[in-house]
Amino acid sequence: METVVVALVKIALMIGGLMTAAAYLVLLERWIAAWTQDRVGPNRVGIPLTKFKLFGLGQPLADGLKFIFKEENTPAQVDRGLFTIAPIVILTAALAIFAAIPFGSVLPKDLGIEGVEQPIQLCVAPAFDVGIIYVFALSSIAVYGVILGGWASNSKYSFLGGLRSSAQLIAYELPLGLGLLGVVLMSGSLRLENVIDQQASTGVWNMFLQPIGFVTFVVAAFAEAARLPFDLPECEQELVGGYHTEYAGMRLLMFLIAEFLHMVTAAFLIVILFFGGWHFWGLTGSSKDEVTWFEAIMRVLVLQGKVLAVIVFFMLARWSWPRFRFDQLMDLAWKVMLPLGLVNLAAVAVLVEFGWDKAENKLGFSPVWAMAAMWGIAIVAWTIAAIFTPLQTDNRPRLEAISE
């Protein structure tokens, strides 16, 4: 019974936190967009019927009310069943992912709660043996919501958006998985908690040890989240709104919330897999189960702070970089990210098989030589990629395309 109560409390905290975060991340993104592009952002909406503006903090509430009271318009040409199911599928998958993602470490044992003897882990489904596979399986399901929405809308803009999304997500899932496999090899586990513990015990974050894997994973995560410069499925200039062109009201709101949750998921994974999760040197300790209240609170704050920093980076990139052309998007996935992911996987496999244990035994927790070797491989790989697949920034129409 106590286990059920603890799980329900965790679910309530997680869903409430995610919904609040999604609302205020929209406001944060609009502030960052205004700052980046030197324009006025949302700064008017405060307490209704008063002159208290509160820096625009009432804007998410106003946006939510607007969506709730907006007319639920359903175009006549759509497949009504699939048209309604699509946003439900994508939002459900986006929320269910967080069952396996930890939002902290553990609480101290002496909580004083009768019947609770083991430390409470700050994860809805702790010790999930296939947590990483679960997260990526649900991430893959999200694409079905996009394709369903594009197909059921019976609109050329929506249909093209769905096709673009499926091609993009399939192309970038390969480098995303290759970047992830390096981390799995290094930690020897599919549990997200064990990945953090491995980095905390050695004091070496995977970002420093696997630079190629880190870059590959971050670029692929950008593309999987369909954020600029990878928002080809819904680019307004070409497809009006892409796969959700025909949507309005609450169904559109579900698509938009799911889009933000994908960004939050990507930020959590980047932090957990490559930035040490809740670990920070000299502040959070490295013990798995024995923590003080100070360490438990600091672990939550450190993890959330890192995630927020990555989200801000996502937002700055969105409002600073131009959008890729679709052929450039595919070239980057198949000609650059995929080979780099394979190089990283091979290098990590060799390191784990022949060098990592010797480094730990010989050098304690300072495997400097391993990091130097991985960075050397990274510099050589990036140089070769730059020579054979140079960055194309000229977006003018190609002469051969015009002649055809």
Side-chain angles (χ1 to χ4, degrees), residues 58-314:
Q59 186 69 44
L61 180 62
D63 290 338
L65 291 174
K66 183 182 73 174
F67 273 109
I68 291 172
F69 290 109
K70 197 168 185 179
E71 180 185 5
E72 284 289 339
N73 180 40
T74 304
Q77 79 276 9
V78 304
D79 183 322
R80 288 179 176 271
L82 296 179
F83 190 76
T84 303
I85 289 173
I88 297 174
V89 168
I90 195 169
L91 181 59
T92 304
L95 284 173
I97 286 174
F98 287 90
I101 295 180
F103 54 95
S105 176
V106 295
L107 295 179
K109 289 182 179 179
D110 54 344
L111 290 177
I113 302 176
E114 187 177 352
V116 178
E117 299 178 354
Q118 297 298 321
I120 294 178
Q121 298 188 22
L122 298 180
C123 179
V124 175
F128 196 3
D129 286 334
V130 290
I132 293 178
I133 294 178
Y134 169 81
V135 169
F136 280 82
L138 284 182
S139 299
S140 302
I141 287 177
V143 70
Y144 291 107
V146 174
I147 295 174
L148 274 179
W151 172 262
S153 296
N154 198 17
S155 157
K156 61 182 179 182
Y157 300 111
S158 305
F159 183 60
L160 287 173
L163 287 180
R164 280 188 176 191
S165 179
S166 57
Q168 176 175 326
L169 294 180
I170 291 170
Y172 279 91
E173 276 199 3
L174 294 173
L176 191 78
L178 290 173
L180 172 70
L181 281 177
V183 175
V184 173
L185 277 179
M186 190 62 72
S187 64
S189 174
L190 289 171
R191 290 185 186 181
L192 290 170
E193 298 97 323
N194 289 356
V195 174
I196 299 175
D197 292 337
Q198 178 259 326
Q199 297 175 81
S201 62
T202 60
V204 180
W205 296 354
N206 287 324
M207 179 191 67
F208 301 116
L209 198 55
Q210 301 182 42
I212 305 179
F214 170 67
V215 172
T216 304
F217 189 89
V218 169
V219 172
F222 261 85
E224 290 286 310
R227 306 277 296 179
L228 261 175
F230 300 101
D231 68 333
L232 275 297
E234 54 178 287
C235 65
E236 297 89 348
Q237 289 89 340
E238 300 171 26
L239 299 176
V240 186
Y243 59 89
H244 52 57
T245 299
E246 305 296 336
Y247 282 88
M250 290 301 293
R251 286 178 287 202
L252 176 61
L253 180 62
M254 285 191 275
F255 270 126
L256 298 181
I257 292 176
E259 180 181 321
F260 263 85
L261 292 183
H262 287 156
M263 180 181 65
V264 176
T265 304
F268 264 102
L269 291 177
I270 290 169
V271 168
I272 290 173
L273 298 177
F274 292 98
F275 283 97
W278 45 256
H279 173 259
F280 199 87
W281 306 279
L283 189 63
T284 56
S286 59
S287 174
K288 293 172 61 176
D289 299 324
E290 298 289 339
V291 296
T292 62
W293 272 107
F294 174 77
E295 289 176 339
I297 294 172
M298 289 310 300
R299 288 180 180 188
V300 174
L301 295 178
V302 166
L303 177 60
Q304 305 303 327
K306 290 179 182 178
V307 170
L308 181 60
V310 174
I311 289 174
V312 169
F313 176 70
F314 266 87

Side-chain angles (χ1 to χ4, degrees), residues 29 32-33 36-37 39 228 314-321:
E29 175 150 31
I32 290 177
T36 306
Q37 301 185 348
R39 58 184 179 177
L228 261 175
F314 266 87
M315 294 175 176
L316 284 173
R318 176 180 184 184
W319 295 102
S320 304
W321 290 4

